[in-house]
Amino acid sequence: HSTTMLRALSLSSICRSSPSFASSSLRSSPSLAGRVRLTASVRWSGNEAVPLHRLSENFIDGTSANYVEQMHESWLNDKSSVHSSWAAYFANVEGGAAPGDAFAAAPPPGTAAPSFSSSSPAQSQVATKLVQLIRAFQVFGHNAATLDPLGLRPPLSVKELDPETYGLTEAELDTVVQKIDFSNQFRGFLSEDSSRTVRDLIVCLKEAYCGNIGVEFMHIADREKANWIRARFESRQRKFADSDREVNFTRLVEGTKFEHFLGMKYNDKRFGCDGAEVIIPGLKTLVDTSASLGVKDITIGMAHRGRLNVLANVLKKPLEDIFHEFRAGTMSKEDIASGDVKYHLGTSHDYVTNAGENIHLSLMANPSHLEAVNPLVEGKTKSKLVSRGDTKGTTACSVLIHGDASYAGQGIVYETITMSGLPKYTTGGTIHVVLNNQIGFTTDPEDSRPGRYCTDVSKTTKSPIFHVNGDDTDAVCWTMKLAAEWRQTFHTDVVVDIIAYRRFGHNEVDQPAFTQPLMYQHIKKHPQTLDVYAKQLISEGVLTKEKVDETVASTIKGFEDGFARSKDHVPKDSEWLDSKWKGFKSPEQLARIKSTGVDVDLLRRLGKAISTVPEKFSPHTVIKKILKARMETFDKDQDIDWATAEQLAFTTLLSEGTGVRLSGQDVERGTFSHRHAVIHDQKTGEEYSILNNLPAELQNAKFQIANSFLSEYAAMGFELGYAISDPNTLVMWEAQFGDFVNGAQIILDQFLACGEQKWMRQSGLVLLLPHGYEGMGPEHSSARIERFLQNCDQDVDVIPKNYDEEAFEQSVNWQVVNCSTPANYFHVLRRQQHREFRKPLVIFTPKSLLRHPLVKSPLSAFDNIAEDGDDCVMRTYGETSKDIVSPEKVKRVVFCSGKVYWDLYEEREKLGKKDIALLRIEQLCPFPYDLVQKELEKYTNAEFVWGQEEPKNMGAWTFMFFNFRTTFKSLNLNKELNYIGRKTSASPAAGSAYTHKKELAQLLSEVFTY
């Protein structure tokens, strides 16, 4: 008996959830196999008892009967006291539902039971079934939508969309259903004030969810967002005005005839959007809508397919420029850039919509790494938002145009959409447009993704996904309009998947029938989207055939005129500067570097500010000690360590009105617990940013610091985009360990190292890469100095004539430094902003040196007094010890860089060697020929060696060997540079701490044995 009671109690708690669960559970319960009728009398809302047969559902069995009675009594007193499915059941019972018919499936979680305005219990039952059918269309309707213009992937037959699945009979289809009250929780057909038959509603549902647009949105848990989509898809107002359709037609003509014109004039690859020309009216509709909703800037990223068309017809790049590029013309007679293929280039344009709104459009240059530009676009948009103080994302927007294979296949897509939900990276929602070819290069969708759609990855961010047939111009334009409205309403990502095709294969000279014969048989017979739309508009009386022909002829004439102009066209000098870049020098204009030193009195004031937290703030005890020790260094004007030097660089720039942004994994505290730029109150958890709480007269710009998500590729790309957009902010990305920087190798190789040479786009991005051999193994030792030096475009065999330091530094693609003192690190960071041009800067930063007792700088080293000119950066350090012999008596000169200097210095001190000089190359690239020449001329009787902790085939050795050879030749010295260090290795470092120590000992022994 007690066992039965326990089962009953357990069952009653299960039944509370919904009668559907109760039904299945009770049928399967062995202890309640025998069914019993409800014996107690459940009361109606009046005094009349509920007839027994009214509760004759098969789940009211055994011990559940009493529990149902209790719930009914509770429901009579308070309709919200029971689960919504039980509320619907009791309402149907009281409404006169036939025996066995009162049960209704539970509505979606968190919703109230619907209240039907029907005139009979039978109508209520039909409406209940209809609710389930409507939900099925909302969830599964996209599977039955007509999305493939070629018909190769027809709509699916979905049983959930069959009325019979929910027990709707043929007779019930003619039942008239009136408005259903969903307590303001749902929007759509049944919440409208109208009466329609079930049959009519099913037709409406098919039109809404199974037409040429399919929508996936039921994975979005937010009711407001789901209702927003329901209201628009279930609305009868989904058509454009005739005047708007005429505009869309003209834009489609421009997109289509542009591709025809290029195909007629040039037998060359162009990666056109033939088969997907609808992207042009679609994008322009998106731009118009965004501008009307307050967007002032749109930054676009896309691969090569359709890029020329977008440049010509959306961003209005002059036709003569595009046609001139087909003639292999140079960008400019004065242009020193190597350039790139025409379908990788970008541009910008101030656009005025038909409604008169102004909006700035920019298309970022992109390599053939299809999705690589995505995080750069987001970073550029973030910069624009920050500069406007726009925290919501209303005034600037990112639009990313993807291919179907790359959207599903490339990990950078997921990394980028992950940023959309992170507060320090979000740009207020990105509009993703998939130009869906239904194929990769030659790979079918079945071989490139596991699911039906290439866009499934965007479900992870709860983004709505609109799939649309690329042959339906009105549908595409309406969907793009909807996407822009969504983005401006909710400021989250949205996806438009335009399902089209490639008329000519991967490019115009490709033969796609080799691998997709059936598809291209269909394409060969398939009419162009323009012809389909023209025929539709003529048949509907929107346009006449004469108007169609006139529009086509006028468009072609415009292309012919541009072609004629291109024959004698001389491109203007590259207009690579936007408003923020005005005043910066191009590579051909000689720029100068301003002083990087700072007055000591200001340094002391800032030093005390970064050593202080509010009186009531409770930092960790260790941090208290750090702040106290920092304060003492400014009292003594000495012993400035690495972290303090960095914060002085940041605060001095902030005081001058230069913004500072630092991101990367764990940068707020610092991987090595050295930075503590954000301090946490140990009692409240409150965060405190010292660098955003300087004295008011010194806080003249904003300090941004962001612990990034666990990414190198997208995180670095984001900061590069930010730096390209804003040269007036010091933008830095720090690797957790320098070894991990190769996770962003595509950004390094395709953008950072060569972006200026290919696309005339400067950037001042700084990479902070912890580097140093300390026995931590092959994945925590090397930032791969050799790779950065190999990517330097400095000619190691030539010293420029009329050598000028600033001109030489301006001529190379990036700078590579390996500082050994806090003061030099300070000056290098400040130099980045104190010059009239921008170059990427790679800094190999220390780990063990962060707390090394010898690696400190006096405050005087930060002052504005420089030994040589205005630049306080020490590109080299000569011998600093006063205890060694005079230069002519030195037997060996050891050149080195970074941490290994301090290993050598301590060993020399221990051995008491007086005839070995230790010289540091702090700036590896561009190579400091002038300073090295001066040092070589001092040591007339010495042997010269290069000492490094990296293996011989890594580190700076190869780069140094050739640069020193050139320097020896310039001085007519019959000398050579010899190598001392670890032997060649496939792995950058030993995995054993014992082996590491043994190798270091061998290195030190070789240096000091001669």
Side-chain angles (χ1 to χ4, degrees):
H1 176 72
S2 59
T3 301
T4 304
M5 287 298 295
L6 285 172
R7 285 175 176 164
L9 288 171
S10 176
L11 184 63
S12 69
S13 63
I14 294 173
C15 289
R16 183 183 294 274
S17 62
S18 76
S20 58
F21 197 96
S23 174
S24 60
S25 301
L26 285 161
R27 288 190 211 113
S28 62
S29 175
S31 64
L32 301 173
R35 297 187 175 180
V36 282
R37 293 288 185 179
L38 184 62
T39 57
S41 176
V42 179
R43 306 294 300 177
W44 288 76
S45 56
N47 296 320
E48 181 184 357
V50 177
L52 193 63
H53 67 274
R54 281 284 175 222
L55 298 178
S56 184
E57 302 287 352
N58 61 4
F59 56 82
I60 303 182
D61 296 336
T63 57
S64 69
N66 289 334
Y67 184 69
V68 173
E69 290 179 41
Q70 294 171 15
M71 281 198 295
H72 183 260
E73 292 290 349
S74 177
W75 176 79
L76 289 174
N77 295 322
D78 180 3
K79 298 294 190 293
S80 64
S81 64
V82 299
H83 188 274
S84 54
S85 54
W86 280 111
Y89 170 68
F90 293 134
N92 289 336
V93 168
E94 295 203 15
D101 290 339
F103 164 66
T111 64
S115 172
F116 306 112
S117 299
S118 304
S119 58
S120 72
Q123 287 178 316
S124 295
Q125 285 301 298
V126 171
T128 300
K129 298 172 184 177
L130 185 58
V131 169
Q132 299 173 64
L133 181 60
I134 290 175
R135 179 172 174 80
F137 270 93
Q138 293 166 348
V139 175
F140 303 109
H142 60 88
N143 291 299
T146 309
L147 301 177
D148 182 4
L150 302 177
L152 296 175
R153 293 176 173 82
L156 299 179
S157 177
V158 183
K159 69 176 183 178
E160 287 85 357
L161 305 183
D162 186 347
E164 292 185 3
T165 300
Y166 309 96
L168 282 166
T169 65
E170 185 67 24
E172 289 175 326
L173 296 182
D174 294 318
T175 302
V176 176
V177 180
Q178 299 176 359
K179 177 182 178 181
I180 300 179
D181 181 11
F182 287 98
S183 300
N184 295 318
Q185 294 176 357
F186 286 128
R187 298 291 182 272
F189 291 130
L190 294 185
S191 62
E192 296 178 359
D193 288 315
S194 61
S195 298
R196 282 174 283 187
T197 66
V198 173
R199 196 182 304 276
D200 290 338
L201 282 169
I202 292 174
V203 171
C204 293
L205 285 168
K206 289 181 178 179
E207 290 176 352
Y209 294 109
C210 304
N212 287 343
I213 306 174
V215 56
E216 294 184 90
F217 71 102
M218 295 301 279
H219 55 280
I220 302 173
D222 188 304
R223 186 184 301 140
E224 180 186 2
K225 293 177 180 178
N227 276 337
W228 191 93
I229 294 174
R230 287 190 193 100
R232 281 149 183 80
F233 270 81
E234 298 180 11
S235 168
R236 300 178 186 180
Q237 306 299 320
R238 286 176 54 177
K239 289 188 176 181
F240 285 102
D242 288 351
S243 58
D244 292 329
R245 299 176 80 192
E246 186 172 348
V247 170
N248 292 340
F249 173 75
T250 300
R251 292 168 170 176
L252 183 59
V253 170
E254 291 169 349
T256 303
K257 294 306 175 181
F258 179 80
E259 299 294 355
H260 289 184
F261 190 84
L262 293 182
M264 179 179 64
K265 296 292 186 182
Y266 307 104
N267 183 25
D268 194 5
K269 295 178 182 179
R270 66 179 188 274
F271 294 95
C273 59
D274 307 80
E277 302 94 338
V278 74
I279 188 67
I280 301 304
L283 276 178
K284 297 191 83 167
T285 300
L286 185 154
V287 170
D288 291 346
T289 306
S290 298
S292 70
L293 297 173
V295 176
K296 302 300 180 185
D297 276 281
I298 292 181
T299 302
I300 304 171
M302 68 181 299
H304 39 277
R305 175 154 157 75
R307 175 179 281 263
L308 290 176
N309 208 323
V310 171
L311 283 169
N313 290 310
V314 179
L315 283 96
K316 297 300 180 183
K317 181 175 181 177
L319 292 171
E320 52 268 35
D321 279 354
I322 295 175
F323 297 148
H324 182 77
E325 289 162 7
F326 272 94
R327 298 173 184 272
T330 58
M331 296 172 66
S332 165
K333 64 181 180 180
E334 299 179 2
D335 201 341
I336 63 171
S338 64
D340 198 353
V341 291
K342 49 193 167 290
Y343 39 78
H344 286 172
L345 303 177
T347 194
S348 62
H349 175 64
D350 289 317
Y351 180 85
V352 181
T353 69
N354 290 340
E357 286 108 352
N358 295 304
I359 186 168
H360 183 76
L361 307 178
S362 60
L363 174 63
M364 295 193 75
N366 190 38
S368 287
H369 297 66
L370 303 173
E371 303 285 347
V373 76
N374 295 355
L376 278 79
V377 170
E378 302 296 347
K380 184 173 182 179
T381 299
K382 185 70 170 182
S383 169
K384 292 178 179 294
L385 293 171
V386 170
S387 67
R388 289 191 176 102
D390 182 352
T391 58
K392 193 172 182 180
T394 302
T395 59
C397 174
S398 300
V399 175
L400 297 177
I401 304 173
H402 313 269
D404 50 314
S406 59
Y407 199 69
Q410 295 201 350
I412 190 62
V413 172
Y414 180 74
E415 290 191 33
T416 302
I417 66 173
T418 294
M419 289 191 289
S420 67
L422 304 179
K424 295 182 181 178
Y425 290 90
T426 183
T427 56
T430 296
I431 301 174
H432 298 272
V433 181
V434 179
L435 205 57
N436 194 329
N437 302 321
Q438 305 190 72
I439 190 174
F441 191 153
T442 65
T443 304
D444 291 319
E446 293 77 12
D447 294 322
S448 64
R449 61 177 183 263
R452 177 174 172 81
Y453 300 117
C454 65
T455 53
D456 286 348
V457 65
S458 285
K459 291 181 181 178
T460 61
T461 54
K462 309 302 181 186
S463 304
I465 303 169
F466 307 119
H467 307 282
V468 58
N469 188 316
D471 259 1
D472 188 338
T473 303
D474 286 340
V476 170
C477 291
W478 184 82
T479 305
M480 295 288 260
K481 179 176 182 290
L482 190 68
E485 292 171 345
W486 168 279
R487 192 268 175 188
Q488 287 301 93
T489 301
F490 298 109
H491 294 286
T492 61
D493 284 9
V494 57
V495 182
V496 179
D497 178 20
I498 303 175
I499 300 172
Y501 56 91
R502 263 180 354 206
R503 187 165 288 276
F504 298 116
H506 180 63
N507 59 60
E508 290 70 28
V509 297
D510 187 35
Q511 178 47 270
F514 288 157
T515 51
Q516 279 76 32
L518 297 181
M519 172 182 274
Y520 278 87
Q521 288 172 22
H522 278 78
I523 291 174
K524 190 174 182 180
K525 301 173 184 176
H526 192 73
Q528 290 187 331
T529 305
L530 177 60
D531 296 333
V532 172
Y533 197 41
K535 183 177 179 180
Q536 178 187 355
L537 295 181
I538 292 171
S539 67
E540 295 176 5
V542 178
L543 294 176
T544 63
K545 186 177 185 305
E546 291 73 20
K547 180 62 176 176
V548 167
D549 293 341
E550 178 187 332
T551 303
V552 171
S554 174
T555 300
I556 294 175
K557 183 180 184 304
F559 295 148
E560 290 287 2
D561 292 344
F563 181 76
R565 292 192 300 271
S566 72
K567 295 178 181 179
D568 301 316
H569 180 61
V570 177
K572 297 178 182 178
D573 291 342
S574 179
E575 297 179 355
W576 55 276
L577 300 176
D578 63 21
S579 59
K580 288 189 177 181
W581 284 90
K582 288 179 180 176
F584 288 87
K585 301 294 180 67
S586 70
E588 290 217 324
Q589 299 171 304
L590 182 60
R592 292 299 177 188
I593 301 172
K594 302 172 187 176
S595 173
T596 58
V598 179
D599 182 77
V600 170
D601 289 337
L602 177 59
L603 291 171
R604 291 193 190 103
R605 286 186 66 197
L606 290 169
K608 292 179 179 179
I610 62 175
S611 305
T612 307
V613 295
E615 185 177 344
K616 295 183 179 180
F617 194 85
S618 301
H620 193 280
T621 52
V622 173
I623 295 178
K624 282 184 181 180
K625 294 178 181 178
I626 292 173
L627 296 177
K628 181 181 178 182
R630 182 183 292 171
M631 182 71 80
E632 292 171 354
T633 64
F634 290 99
D635 292 336
K636 298 183 295 183
D637 287 354
Q638 59 184 9
D639 293 336
I640 307 297
D641 63 14
W642 203 274
T644 304
E646 180 184 79
Q647 293 209 7
L648 284 176
F650 294 168
T651 53
T652 53
L653 289 172
L654 293 170
S655 71
E656 295 164 357
T658 297
V660 176
R661 177 179 171 88
L662 171 62
S663 80
Q665 295 158 29
D666 313 301
V667 295
E668 293 182 4
R669 190 201 75 173
T671 300
F672 311 103
S673 198
H674 66 288
R675 182 173 289 122
H676 300 294
V678 177
I679 302 175
H680 297 259
D681 190 296
Q682 297 300 299
K683 296 178 180 178
T684 66
E686 178 187 355
E687 295 182 356
Y688 182 76
S689 171
I690 291 180
L691 276 70
N692 276 320
N693 287 278
L694 301 176
E697 68 277 12
L698 299 178
Q699 190 79 57
N700 297 314
K702 183 178 180 181
F703 175 66
Q704 302 175 64
I705 189 164
N707 282 343
S708 80
F709 60 118
L710 202 63
S711 157
E712 286 79 36
Y713 191 172
M716 183 192 293
F718 186 95
E719 302 309 326
L720 177 56
Y722 198 109
I724 289 172
S725 177
D726 186 3
N728 298 311
T729 294
L730 176 65
V731 182
M732 297 161 286
W733 177 83
E734 182 175 67
Q736 190 180 62
F737 283 84
D739 311 65
F740 304 152
V741 70
N742 58 7
Q745 200 65 44
I746 290 174
I747 298 296
L748 296 173
D749 290 343
Q750 313 309 131
F751 292 94
L752 197 61
C754 56
E756 183 177 5
Q757 189 169 4
K758 290 194 297 185
W759 305 316
M760 290 298 290
R761 291 295 184 272
Q762 291 187 18
S763 85
L765 179 64
V766 179
L767 303 184
L768 304 178
L769 309 179
H771 174 91
Y773 283 58
E774 289 137 347
M776 297 182 69
E779 273 73 53
H780 295 83
S781 298
S782 175
R784 297 286 192 167
I785 292 176
E786 66 279 359
R787 293 181 178 174
F788 290 93
L789 294 177
Q790 185 184 34
N791 263 339
C792 291
D793 65 354
Q794 177 209 317
D795 189 340
V796 297
D797 294 322
V798 178
I799 299 178
K801 294 180 180 179
N802 303 318
Y803 181 88
D804 180 90
E805 176 195 341
E806 289 88 348
F808 191 33
E809 292 185 2
Q810 194 177 354
S811 69
V812 298
N813 61 324
W814 60 14
Q815 308 151 99
V816 181
V817 302
N818 192 12
C819 298
S820 62
T821 69
N824 215 24
Y825 178 53
F826 167 90
H827 289 296
V828 165
L829 288 174
R830 285 181 50 79
R831 181 181 67 173
Q832 191 68 355
Q833 297 303 111
H834 277 242
R835 51 183 20 160
E836 298 172 315
F837 63 93
R838 292 289 178 262
K839 292 285 177 181
L841 170 62
V842 182
I843 305 179
F844 297 103
T845 56
K847 295 173 287 185
S848 61
L849 298 189
L850 294 171
R851 296 177 178 83
H852 197 294
L854 295 177
V855 186
K856 305 286 180 69
S857 297
L859 198 60
S860 59
F862 299 80
D863 203 346
N864 52 8
I865 301 174
E867 295 180 8
D868 183 15
D870 291 332
D871 184 5
C872 298
V873 172
M874 301 298 294
R875 292 176 290 143
T876 65
Y877 278 108
E879 178 55 69
T880 58
S881 175
K882 298 179 180 179
D883 295 334
I884 69 167
V885 299
S886 59
E888 67 274 9
K889 294 181 181 179
V890 169
K891 294 182 179 179
R892 172 176 282 179
V893 174
V894 182
F895 286 94
C896 59
S897 185
K899 167 191 164 291
V900 73
Y901 166 79
W902 295 104
D903 293 328
L904 295 170
Y905 177 85
E906 290 184 289
E907 184 71 8
R908 186 178 67 177
E909 291 296 299
K910 184 177 75 173
L911 297 175
K913 292 282 188 178
K914 306 293 185 182
D915 54 1
I916 292 182
L918 302 178
L919 280 65
R920 287 166 276 176
I921 307 292
E922 299 277 294
Q923 180 173 289
L924 304 177
C925 176
F927 186 76
Y929 286 114
D930 54 333
L931 300 181
V932 172
Q933 285 173 334
K934 292 178 182 178
E935 294 297 336
L936 293 178
E937 289 175 325
K938 290 181 186 176
Y939 301 99
T940 54
N941 300 311
E943 171 199 10
F944 299 104
V945 301
W946 175 258
Q948 69 176 37
E949 55 186 351
E950 301 85 4
K952 189 176 183 180
N953 55 320
M954 302 177 192
W957 160 241
T958 302
F959 189 77
M960 289 297 135
F961 173 81
F962 288 107
N963 275 292
F964 269 89
R965 186 180 68 175
T966 300
T967 310
F968 287 138
K969 287 181 180 179
S970 72
L971 297 173
N972 294 318
L973 291 178
N974 186 23
K975 297 277 189 176
E976 64 178 16
L977 187 70
N978 296 314
Y979 171 81
I980 295 178
R982 288 176 169 86
K983 63 181 181 180
T984 58
S985 173
S987 176
S992 161
Y994 171 80
T995 303
H996 162 77
K997 292 177 182 178
K998 183 178 177 181
E999 291 174 344
L1000 178 59
Q1002 178 66 26
L1003 184 160
L1004 297 174
S1005 175
E1006 288 185 31
V1007 166
F1008 294 104
T1009 302
Y1010 49 89

